[in-house]
């Protein structure tokens, strides 16, 4: 027997309409490319989003069209998220850190009709213009006074909005209508597109809102350092207005000093981003000898947060929530917030829990399987490939049947490519990406485990462990370290530290000191580039 309830389609624009009515003064503060700090709120944003929807219509954008953005975190980018999806088109966020080749590929693959760009990225587009489809229009996200000279024949964002009515007759869309498109960064092969729907976006936002209650509520100021141009800034453009939390957008200056200053000025409470960003902030905090005003929470993910980083924040009174997810998951899968009873445990026990990737958010299911696809127990011991299922997880890739078929298993779960264990309480521990695990003599070594320990050495600023081919053992670990300025970490000391946590056979065979580690387009250490850099590396016992 079926229930007898109305079925109203879930729709993205309803989030902002709700925020405009329920939290009209919820703040949206942005560092602008124009150089100043811009302040608005949810009520005024909703009105401008109405104007923008009219402007999109005037540009000839139809339902289903892909409209791209190439922009920092700021209020205009936020407006585009709502106006594009709300009018039935698809908001395709482009990561400006992609290579020219990848960017050209995804604009063509997505079939974008218009690209909205910050002034910063105009030169990139000018360089690519000849390879991009004819007929593609460009809009520069600024006012007339700040329009740069350009060869794009570009329109001006503020001029498009000027004089448009603030109310728009939002269409009633099927909730399965495509709303957003984000490509994985494609470290191997071409990027693949995750095509989000209105329904998946709302259910993900609800899942986050009911789980991450520390900050997703009215009165909290959240700073997404995680970009709007990749993985939907971890869903914050939706979950923050839904819950009345304010948004502080940092623009393009993401170094520790700039973030500290902005957080201090605006009273950011909760900051969301990848570990590399928080390393910069921690350095600035050490320099200033204090935390920014009002700062009390970090949500960290995208790659494993080193335990030493978590402990540093926690001992200074900042709650750390270690989250895990991926583009294909909208993107949040797990969060590291502790239950009240867990908060009464010893500091060490709490840090043990916080160093894991945490527990699933509402609406995400997890399973680990062995190489034959057989489910493994959630006992904290068994390790296997992690598969996920839920309403915010892709069922396939946009216009890519081959990749789609490979992504989903016979039971309909999505294979993450991560290797993990899950304990009895549901805490997930990511051991590695499958392709980053080091296979030594038939045993596996987790690069994340080694990095975690090495990062706690006082002379180490950052590090990565990669596999190097070995004639006898197949692969052996090579440790690549960026020293703290003026320091020269010694391998013997680091080995001694590692031996407190790992078996002797897992110790790296060699250590190399470098000035910097290569980063991917999403700000993570690029192990692929490092492996290429050290291809053919001769380990000491290979002479
Ligand atoms: P890409 O970096 O290729 O663009 P995503 O941003 O979607 O892709 O990254 C997803 C991957 O990042 C996950 O599959 C996982 O390997 C890694 N990852 C994300 N968060 C964490 C975390 N907290 N700990 C360890 N790995 C993480």
């Amino acid at each position: 027997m079926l229930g007898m309830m109305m079925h109203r389609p879930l729709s993205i624009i309803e989030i902002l309409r709700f925020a405009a009515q329920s939290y009209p003064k919820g703040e949206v503060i942005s560092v602008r490319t124009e150089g100043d700090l811009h302040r608005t709120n949810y009520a005024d944003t909703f009105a401008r989003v109405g104007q923008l929807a009219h402007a999109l219509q005037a540009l000839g954008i139809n339902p289903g069209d892909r409209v791209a953005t190439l922009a920092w975190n700021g209020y205009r980018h936020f407006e585009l998220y709502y106006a594009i999806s709300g009018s039935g088109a698809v908001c395709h966020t482009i990561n400006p850190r992609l290579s020219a080749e990848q960017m050209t590929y995804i604009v063509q693959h997505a079939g974008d009709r218009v690209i909205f760009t910050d002034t910063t990225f105009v030169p990139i587009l000018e360089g690519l213009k000849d390879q991009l489809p004819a007929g593609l229009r460009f809009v520069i996200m600024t006012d007339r006074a700040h329009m740069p000279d350009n060869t794009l024949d570009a329109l001006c964002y503020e001029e498009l909005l000027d004089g448009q009515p603030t109310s728009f007759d939002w269409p009633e869309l099927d909730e399965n209508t495509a709303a957003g498109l984000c490509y994985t960064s494609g470290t191997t092969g071409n990027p693949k597109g995750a095509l989000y729907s209105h329904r998946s976006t709302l259910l993900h936002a609800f899942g986050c809102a009911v789980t991450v209650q520390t900050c997703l509520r009215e009165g909290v100021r959240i700073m997404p350092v995680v970009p709007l141009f990749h993985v939907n800034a971890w869903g914050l453009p939706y979950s923050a207005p839904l819950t009345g939390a304010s948004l502080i957008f940092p623009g393009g200056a993401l170094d520790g000093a700039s973030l500290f200053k902005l957080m201090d000025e605006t009273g950011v409470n909760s900051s969301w981003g990848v570990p590399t960003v928080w390393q910069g902030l921690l350095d600035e905090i050490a320099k200033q000898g204090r935390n920014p005003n009002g700062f009390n929470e970090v949500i960290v993910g995208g790659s494993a947060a080193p335990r030493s980083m978590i402990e540093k924040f926690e001992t200074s009174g900042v709650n750390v929530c270690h989250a895990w997810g991926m583009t294909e998951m909208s993107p949040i899968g797990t969060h590291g917030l502790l239950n009240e009873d867990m908060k009464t445990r010893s500091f060490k026990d709490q840090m043990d829990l916080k160093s894991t990737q945490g527990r699933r958010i509402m609406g995400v299911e997890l399973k680990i399987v062995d190489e034959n696809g057989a489910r493994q127990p959630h006992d904290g011991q068994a390790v296997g490939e992690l598969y996920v299922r839920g309403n915010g997880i892709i069922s396939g890739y946009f216009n890519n049947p081959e990749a789609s078929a490979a992504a989903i298993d016979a039971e309909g779960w999505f294979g993450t490519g991560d290797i993990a264990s899950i304990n009895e309480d549901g805490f997930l521990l990511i051991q590695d990406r499958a392709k980053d695990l080091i296979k030594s003599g038939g045993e596996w070594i987790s690069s994340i485990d080694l990095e975690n320990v090495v990062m706690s050495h006082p002379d180490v600023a950052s590090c990565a462990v990669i596999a190097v081919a070995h004639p006898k053992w197949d692969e052996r670990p090579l440790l690549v370290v960026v020293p703290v300025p003026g320091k020269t970490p010694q391998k013997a000391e680091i080995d001694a530290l590692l031996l407190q946590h790992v078996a002797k056979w897992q110790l790296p065979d060699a250590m190399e000191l470098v000035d910097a580690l290569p980063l991917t387009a999403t700000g993570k250490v690029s192990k692929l580039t490092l492996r290429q850099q050290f291809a053919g590396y001769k380990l000491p016992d290979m002479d």
Side-chain angles (χ1 to χ4, degrees):
M1 188 191 293
L2 296 178
M4 291 176 59
M5 303 303 289
M6 291 185 189
H7 180 90
R8 302 288 305 141
L10 298 172
S11 115
I12 285 177
I13 199 65
E14 277 311 310
I15 295 180
L16 196 60
R17 196 202 304 271
F18 177 74
Q21 287 169 352
S22 303
Y23 310 109
K25 298 202 167 84
E27 294 167 293
V28 181
I29 304 178
S30 314
V31 174
R32 298 205 294 183
T33 48
E34 287 91 338
D36 57 355
L37 200 60
H38 176 273
R39 288 171 188 269
T40 182
N41 58 41
Y42 289 137
D44 293 344
T45 299
F46 188 54
R48 271 177 57 93
V49 165
Q51 292 183 299
L52 181 54
H54 283 287
L56 290 171
Q57 226 170 31
L59 284 173
I61 297 301
N62 295 311
D65 282 350
R66 270 76 68 200
V67 177
T69 63
L70 187 64
W72 299 116
N73 287 7
Y75 67 104
R76 295 187 182 110
H77 203 172
F78 180 59
E79 290 164 358
L80 283 159
Y81 261 66
Y82 281 94
I84 297 170
S85 307
S87 57
V90 179
C91 179
H92 170 207
T93 53
I94 303 178
N95 184 340
R97 299 194 187 112
L98 291 176
S99 67
E101 196 185 324
Q102 286 179 331
M103 214 183 273
T104 311
Y105 170 84
I106 66 170
V107 172
Q108 281 167 350
H109 187 267
D112 293 328
R113 293 204 44 211
V114 182
I115 300 183
F116 284 77
T117 178
D118 268 338
T119 49
T120 324
F121 308 117
V122 168
I124 296 184
L125 290 173
E126 287 180 326
L128 290 185
K129 201 177 68 162
D130 293 342
Q131 284 101 274
L132 296 178
L136 185 66
R137 300 299 312 268
F138 300 92
V139 179
I140 300 181
M141 294 158 67
T142 188
D143 54 22
R144 176 52 59 188
H146 292 88
M147 278 292 280
D149 288 338
N150 66 85
T151 58
L152 300 172
D153 192 19
L155 300 162
C156 165
Y157 187 93
E158 292 300 332
E159 277 180 2
L160 290 182
L161 266 70
D162 258 359
Q164 296 285 6
T166 54
S167 67
F168 185 79
D169 192 11
W170 299 103
E172 184 162 314
L173 305 164
D174 181 317
E175 65 181 11
N176 292 311
T177 303
L181 178 61
C182 177
Y183 283 77
T184 63
S185 50
T187 39
T188 48
N190 277 326
K192 295 174 289 208
L195 185 63
Y196 313 108
S197 68
H198 285 257
R199 174 184 154 82
S200 70
T201 304
L202 263 86
L203 292 176
H204 179 260
F206 288 139
C208 293
V210 296
T211 318
V212 190
Q213 294 170 358
T214 46
C215 55
L216 287 171
R217 57 194 166 82
E218 195 195 359
V220 178
R221 295 203 178 94
I222 302 181
M223 177 173 73
V225 178
V226 50
L228 290 169
F229 62 65
H230 187 62
V231 291
N232 304 320
W234 294 350
L236 278 174
Y238 309 111
S239 55
L242 179 68
T243 55
S246 293
L247 283 169
I248 317 296
F249 288 124
L254 305 178
D255 59 288
S258 305
L259 290 179
F260 189 105
K261 182 164 169 281
L262 176 67
M263 292 169 77
D264 224 20
E265 271 173 26
T266 57
V268 166
N269 307 115
S270 178
S271 299
W272 296 39
V274 294
T276 35
V277 166
W278 304 135
Q279 193 52 52
L281 182 69
L282 277 171
D283 292 346
E284 186 62 21
I285 288 173
K287 219 189 267 173
Q288 305 243 3
R290 67 176 180 96
N291 279 335
N293 170 36
F295 175 42
N296 58 30
E297 184 180 68
V298 160
I299 311 275
V300 57
S303 53
R307 185 183 179 116
S308 52
M309 172 180 284
I310 297 174
E311 288 182 354
K312 249 185 226 167
F313 276 123
E314 289 274 344
T315 46
S316 77
V318 174
N319 177 39
V320 177
C321 168
H322 189 188
W324 165 88
M326 56 200 309
T327 308
E328 290 90 335
M329 300 178 67
S330 292
I332 297 187
T334 64
H335 72 95
L337 295 175
L338 303 185
N339 291 0
E340 292 306 320
D341 63 314
M342 296 168 186
K343 291 184 201 159
T344 62
R345 298 185 191 169
S346 71
F347 183 75
K348 182 190 165 290
D349 285 356
Q350 290 187 48
M351 292 309 107
D352 285 349
L353 290 178
K354 290 198 173 211
S355 303
T356 72
Q357 278 72 12
R359 292 171 295 168
R360 67 196 185 98
I361 65 160
M362 170 64 194
V364 171
E365 293 173 84
L366 310 172
K367 72 171 181 182
I368 46 173
V369 303
D370 68 10
E371 57 275 18
N372 303 316
R375 282 198 196 211
Q376 299 299 298
H378 294 188
D379 59 4
Q381 301 296 318
V383 171
E385 184 176 351
L386 178 61
Y387 278 74
V388 290
R389 188 165 73 171
N391 288 309
I393 294 161
I394 61 160
S395 58
Y397 289 100
F398 178 52
N399 272 350
N400 194 336
E402 208 173 296
S404 301
I408 308 293
D409 76 2
E411 294 178 357
W413 295 61
F414 170 75
T416 65
D418 285 347
I419 305 297
S421 62
I422 301 171
N423 77 10
E424 293 87 348
D425 297 327
F427 281 84
L428 172 74
L429 185 63
I430 302 280
Q431 310 278 335
D432 232 327
R433 281 192 165 189
K435 56 182 184 285
D436 293 337
L437 268 180
I438 297 146
K439 192 179 176 204
S440 172
E443 299 278 353
W444 298 98
I445 301 174
S446 153
S447 63
I448 294 181
D449 271 1
L450 299 182
E451 289 158 8
N452 225 329
V453 178
V454 177
M455 279 301 289
S456 67
H457 191 282
D459 296 348
V460 173
S462 56
C463 72
V465 175
I466 53 164
V468 170
H470 189 284
K472 178 166 174 204
W473 303 110
D474 285 338
E475 291 177 350
R476 288 296 303 160
L478 168 68
L479 170 64
V480 185
V481 167
V482 180
V484 165
K487 302 283 182 187
T488 311
Q490 299 299 316
K491 171 108 182 6
E493 261 183 41
I494 288 183
D495 283 352
L497 183 65
L498 277 167
L499 279 175
Q500 296 172 24
H501 303 272
V502 304
K504 188 151 184 276
W505 65 271
Q506 298 183 321
L507 290 183
D509 286 24
M511 178 174 87
E512 285 291 326
L513 301 184
V514 295
D515 292 337
L517 294 171
L519 297 183
T520 67
T522 51
K524 305 176 192 183
V525 172
S526 173
K527 297 226 169 147
L528 184 73
T529 314
L530 262 188
R531 281 196 293 265
Q532 285 164 350
Q533 229 164 291
F534 287 97
Y537 185 85
K538 262 182 106 59
L539 294 167
D541 73 336
M542 285 163 57
D543 290 332

